[in-house]
Amino acid sequence: MTKYALPDLPYDYGALEPHISAKIMQLHHDKHHKTYVDGANQTLDALTDAREKNDFARIAALEHQLAFHVSGHVLHSIFWKNMSPNGGGEATGALASAIDRDFGGFAKFKQQLTKAAATCMGSGWGALMFDTLSGRLITTQIHDHESQTVQGGLPLLVLDAWEHAWYLQYLNEKTKFFDAIWNVLNWKDVAERYERVRGVSLIPEQKAVG
Ligand code: MN
């Protein structure tokens, strides 16, 4: 039975150089992302096994594993698409208008998201999310792959702040990675994600804007 599967990178390993090295992209996609896909599938198997044996003694650990691995798979799958060798520049159209409305302009938004990513303690992500309760854009700082997230938030743009995303190339200069990544961000992809979700409302009568 097909469960979770590792997607292909939408470009060559070296396509994002000099901003992200081919070696990082190869290890990050082929090894790290694959680990999350494999972990998600193994955890589903373990849950099936637990149901068959009617033994839920490890359910808390399994739920933690499932959240970690599936969330890692989700975020990396979006992350690869959020970047492009033809990226950079700024958001346009409806996405740009929403960024202006909710952050007071692209420059403020860029500063907020970069800071959210760069100040993760330990491993995590900075993310631009669509909040399906309010209809607004927010940033979040995700710990590991799944903690400190906003329920009902849908990720549009995610910046990987785990050391495996930058250390081989940037060593101790993490902030240089978060400056460089803006040169490869694929605003067309982010805008398409926004168009797909902007009509989604978690509780329609509470939706403030949209
Ligand atoms: Mn990663």
Side-chain angles (χ1 to χ4, degrees):
M1 182 174 66
T2 303
K3 292 178 282 190
Y4 297 107
L6 183 67
D8 291 334
L9 268 187
Y11 34 72
D12 294 337
Y13 296 127
L16 304 181
E17 290 190 343
H19 307 294
I20 306 178
S21 74
K23 190 67 182 171
I24 284 181
M25 292 301 293
Q26 184 178 14
L27 288 169
H28 200 170
H29 175 270
D30 295 4
K31 304 295 183 185
H32 293 281
H33 187 172
K34 183 175 187 298
T35 298
Y36 305 128
V37 173
D38 292 345
N41 288 328
Q42 287 160 11
T43 308
L44 287 182
D45 288 343
L47 285 163
T48 300
D49 192 50
R51 286 192 299 276
E52 286 171 354
K53 292 176 178 167
N54 201 25
D55 175 9
F56 292 100
R58 295 186 60 242
I59 188 68
L62 291 174
E63 296 290 10
H64 188 190
Q65 283 177 35
L66 189 70
F68 179 84
H69 289 299
V70 174
S71 299
H73 178 33
V74 167
L75 291 173
H76 285 91
S77 297
I78 295 171
F79 183 54
W80 310 134
K81 298 273 193 180
N82 281 161
M83 299 186 291
S84 162
N86 305 312
E90 296 188 6
T92 57
L95 175 63
S97 299
I99 287 173
D100 287 345
R101 179 193 65 202
D102 297 336
F103 298 104
F106 190 85
K108 291 271 187 198
F109 155 69
K110 178 178 178 179
Q111 194 175 19
Q112 182 172 324
L113 182 59
T114 301
K115 286 285 184 188
T119 60
C120 280
M121 287 185 275
S123 298
W125 300 71
L128 170 68
M129 314 269 282
F130 176 74
D131 167 23
T132 55
L133 187 63
S134 70
R136 298 180 69 88
L137 299 177
I138 56 173
T139 60
T140 59
Q141 184 181 67
I142 301 166
H143 289 181
D144 293 332
H145 300 307
E146 79 286 18
S147 300
Q148 203 174 300
T149 51
V150 174
Q151 301 298 335
L154 298 174
L156 304 176
L157 168 63
V158 295
L159 303 183
D160 194 336
W162 284 57
E163 282 191 352
H164 66 222
W166 49 270
Y167 196 83
L168 272 181
Q169 184 176 359
Y170 291 92
L171 301 178
N172 59 309
E173 298 184 298
K174 174 165 66 171
T175 55
K176 286 192 176 176
F177 168 68
F178 289 113
D179 290 336
I181 202 168
W182 291 84
N183 294 307
V184 293
L185 293 184
N186 182 353
W187 292 106
K188 183 170 178 289
D189 176 72
V190 182
E192 286 170 0
R193 290 178 194 284
Y194 179 60
E195 284 304 317
R196 284 205 297 276
V197 304
R198 62 187 292 200
V200 176
S201 186
L202 189 66
I203 303 174
E205 61 273 25
Q206 284 190 29
K207 191 171 185 181
V209 295

